Amino acid sequence: MSSQLLIVDDERLIRWSLEQTLAKAGYEVSSASTGEAALAAVREDPPDLILLDLKLPDMSGYEVLRTLRARKNKTPIMIVSG
């Protein structure tokens, strides 16, 4: 069984590049372009790791992080930013 990763970034090219690279490395990868989409994805199928951009169109990565922790979600989160 491979690890599931969620990439959260509003820039399509960055999401695509990370998805391609990580999928080739054997990970199951999904992505979201907004904070709300990320929260919904985690609710539906919690990943093993989240790669989270700080700047999103609807909320900051910090807000996503705070919301997930308030929901008692323990998924490890790696913050990434340009």
Side-chain angles (χ1 to χ4, degrees):
M1 184 167 103
S2 63
S3 296
Q4 291 183 297
L5 306 179
L6 175 62
I7 299 166
V8 185
D9 199 300
D10 61 326
E11 293 189 40
R12 184 190 58 76
L13 185 56
I14 291 174
R15 283 193 320 273
W16 181 84
S17 297
L18 288 170
E19 287 173 13
Q20 297 301 307
T21 301
L22 294 168
K24 285 180 186 176
Y27 296 99
E28 290 182 36
V29 183
S30 59
S31 66
S33 61
T34 65
E36 284 299 324
L39 294 172
V42 171
R43 234 183 348 264
E44 283 184 31
D45 187 20
D48 297 309
L49 175 68
I50 300 170
L51 299 176
L52 177 61
D53 188 18
L54 286 178
K55 296 187 184 225
L56 299 169
D58 58 343
M59 63 178 64
S60 75
Y62 290 121
E63 289 174 288
V64 174
L65 174 63
R66 280 192 294 273
T67 301
L68 289 172
R69 293 305 182 242
R71 293 179 182 173
K72 307 296 186 210
N73 182 288
K74 302 286 187 195
T75 302
I77 297 173
M78 182 180 293
I79 301 286
V80 294
S81 183

